[in-house]
Amino acid sequence: MSCCDKPGLMPVEAALARLLAQAEASAIVECERVNLSDAAGRVLAEPLLAPLDLPPWDNSAMDGYALRLADWNGEPLVVSQRIQAGSAPVPLQSGTCARIFTGAPLPAGADTVEMQENAVLSEDGRVAFCEPLKLGQNVRAQGQETRIGDSVLPAGTRLGPIELGLAASLGCAELTVRRRPRVAVLSTGDELIEPGQPLGPGQIYNSNRRLLIAWLQRLGCEVVDGGILLDDLELTRAALGALRDVDLILSTGGVSVGEADFLGMALREEGEQALWKLAIKPGKPLTCGQFRGVPVIGLPGNPASTLVTFGLLARPYLLRRLGVQRVEPLGFPMPAGFTWNKPGKRREYLRARLENGRVVPYPNQSSGVLRSAAWAEGFAEVLENTTLSVGDSLRFIPLSEILG
Ligand code: AMP
Ligand code: MG
C-alpha cells in the first residue's frame, strides 16, 4: 500500500499503532459484576464459560410426534402421552409415540420426531406416518449449540443485544465487566458558545461537545463534561489540573499549526506532548500526550475532523484500553460512483452514501461541514497518491461500524 511520502506526515496506520500501544500500556483493568440489565455496551472482563449444555436436553424442533424409530414398522402407532413445552415427560412406552410440541423435551426412549403435517390421526387414536422417517430427524440434541464449559464469549467482547441474549440463554444473571472509563471532554475556542444562547459577533455554536459526549456514552464511558475552555494558558492549566481522576482528557480545537497552542504549552510544562501531523483528511493535526500522568488526546476542532479522528483513532484507543481486540471498523470494497483525479498526500475519508451499489460522496467535503456526515452512510476511503475512475474499487466504512 502506498503511504505519504511527504516527510513529517504520519500514516494513519502508524498513528493507530502508537495509540493502541499506549492504550495497552494504560489498560483499564478494574472490574465489576453487573446485572444483565445494566451490561449493554460494557466489555466482558473474563471469558463467559457455559454453566450448562444448550439445549439442556433433547427437544423437538417441530409440532408433531416423537417415537423410537426402531419401534416403527410402517404401521400406525398409539399415542401414549402428550408433551407440551415446559412439561416433564415420562419415558416413552415401547411401541407407541408421543404427541409433542416445539421446544418440549423428548421422552426417554424417543429418538425421532415427525412433523404433524406428515402424520394422519385415525379415528382409533393411532397415528400413521406417510413419509419415510430418518433417525434423529427434527430433534434438537442436548448440547448441539453449546457444551457445558465451552467458552462462548472471549474476554474483551463488547456486550450488545446478541451477547446479552446469549448470556441469558445460559442462565447468567450477572457478568464481570471492565469498569467504565471516565473521559473528560473539553471544547477549546474563544468563539464557542452553547446552543440555547444568542449568537454574538464572531461566535459559533459548540458542536463537538455534544457529538463527543453522545458518542462516548454509547461507548460505555462515564463522561466528565469540561465545557468550553477559552484560549488562555492559565485557564488551560487550571482546567487540566482539575481533571485528576479521569482516564482520558479529550479536547477539541487549538491544535492547528500556527495557532497559540495553549493545550500543548500546558502539556509541555507539566506532562508530555507530541503533536502529530497525520496523513488523514479531514484531520491532520492531533495532540497526543499526558498532563500530570493523565492521558490527553487533542483532536482537531473542525467538526468533520473531530468525527473522523475520533472514529478512526480515539475510539479504537479507548476500546483497546478496555481490552477489546477488534477495534477497527469493518470496511467493504465498493465501486466508486465518482472520479478522483487529484491524488493526495493524505488519506481521505469522504462522507459518502451508497446509491445503486456505488459510493457517492457528499458534494461539500469541507472539514467544517458536519452536515456531510449526517447525510452520509459511511466513510469512503481514498488512499494516498490515488486516482479513481467510476467503477474502481475503494473501501467503504459504514458509519454504523464507527458510531457504536
Ligand atoms: P482550531 O483547531 O481551534 O483552530 O479550530 C478549527 C476550526 O474548528 C475553527 O473554525 C473552529 O471555530 C472550529 N471549531 C473548533 N472547536 C469547535 C467546536 N467545539 N464546535 C464547532 N466548531 C469548532
Ligand atoms: Mg480554536
Side-chain angles (χ1 to χ4, degrees), residues 27 34 79 95 178 316-317 394:
V34 292
V79 180
R178 301 280 185 106
Y317 163 88
L394 78 168

Side-chain angles (χ1 to χ4, degrees), residues 166-189:
L166 183 61
S169 75
L170 291 162
C172 302
E174 293 185 337
L175 295 170
T176 305
V177 298
R178 301 280 185 106
R179 75 162 166 81
R180 291 181 188 280
R182 276 168 63 77
V183 180
V185 174
L186 287 175
S187 312
T188 76

Side-chain angles (χ1 to χ4, degrees), residues 15-304:
L16 183 61
R18 286 191 195 197
L19 282 168
L20 295 184
Q22 290 179 17
E24 278 161 23
S26 56
I28 295 169
V29 292
E30 297 90 349
C31 303
E32 55 186 329
R33 292 282 289 173
V34 292
N35 192 282
L36 277 197
S37 57
D38 299 319
R42 307 296 294 275
V43 175
L44 204 55
E46 53 192 31
L48 178 62
L49 303 180
L52 41 81
D53 284 346
L54 266 192
W57 18 259
D58 294 351
N59 69 94
S60 178
M62 291 285 178
D63 289 347
Y65 297 88
L67 65 150
R68 182 205 299 271
L69 191 58
D71 283 358
W72 185 59
N73 58 8
E75 292 299 310
L77 296 176
V78 167
V79 180
S80 56
Q81 64 175 308
R82 181 183 169 88
I83 313 166
Q84 307 263 28
S87 63
V90 296
L92 187 68
Q93 213 179 307
S94 84
T96 72
C97 66
R99 181 75 171 114
I100 196 163
F101 297 91
T102 306
L106 242 63
D111 53 22
T112 301
V113 170
E114 179 56 308
M115 58 174 155
Q116 61 192 24
E117 290 82 348
N118 293 340
V120 178
L121 196 60
S122 52
E123 279 176 9
D124 63 3
R126 293 190 309 161
V127 63
F129 303 118
C130 341
E131 301 286 330
L133 301 181
K134 206 174 123 236
L135 181 67
Q137 71 178 37
N138 300 320
V139 174
R140 301 194 285 216
Q142 174 174 350
Q144 71 165 26
E145 175 182 339
T146 298
R147 287 278 179 205
I148 188 167
D150 279 357
S151 174
V152 294
L153 294 173
T157 299
R158 294 186 72 205
L159 298 168
I162 293 170
E163 292 75 20
L164 297 180
L166 183 61
S169 75
L170 291 162
C172 302
E174 293 185 337
L175 295 170
T176 305
V177 298
R178 301 280 185 106
R179 75 162 166 81
R180 291 181 188 280
R182 276 168 63 77
V183 180
V185 174
L186 287 175
S187 312
T188 76
D190 286 344
E191 73 279 29
L192 301 177
I193 59 160
E194 289 301 330
Q197 297 174 24
L199 207 55
Q203 293 185 316
I204 58 166
Y205 288 115
N206 181 1
S207 37
N208 292 337
R209 172 170 169 246
R210 282 294 143 223
L211 173 91
L212 289 176
I213 289 177
W215 203 344
L216 288 162
Q217 284 168 342
R218 278 196 182 190
L219 288 168
C221 299
E222 191 186 317
V223 177
V224 177
D225 182 0
I228 292 169
L229 179 58
L230 297 178
D231 294 316
D232 175 272
L233 180 58
E234 201 49 54
L235 291 174
T236 302
R237 266 195 216 116
L240 294 175
L243 297 168
R244 270 187 298 272
D245 57 348
V246 298
D247 299 297
L248 176 67
I249 297 171
L250 195 59
S251 77
T252 59
V255 287
S256 315
V257 178
E259 175 158 354
D261 170 23
F262 302 108
L263 178 74
M265 279 184 221
L267 299 189
R268 287 191 294 274
E269 279 174 7
E270 292 187 71
E272 278 169 22
Q273 187 220 17
L275 182 59
W276 295 346
K277 285 189 197 145
L278 305 178
I280 192 171
K281 191 174 175 186
K284 192 166 166 185
L286 188 128
T287 283
C288 178
Q290 49 96 1
F291 186 81
R292 299 183 193 158
V294 179
V296 178
I297 294 180
L299 302 175
N302 274 308

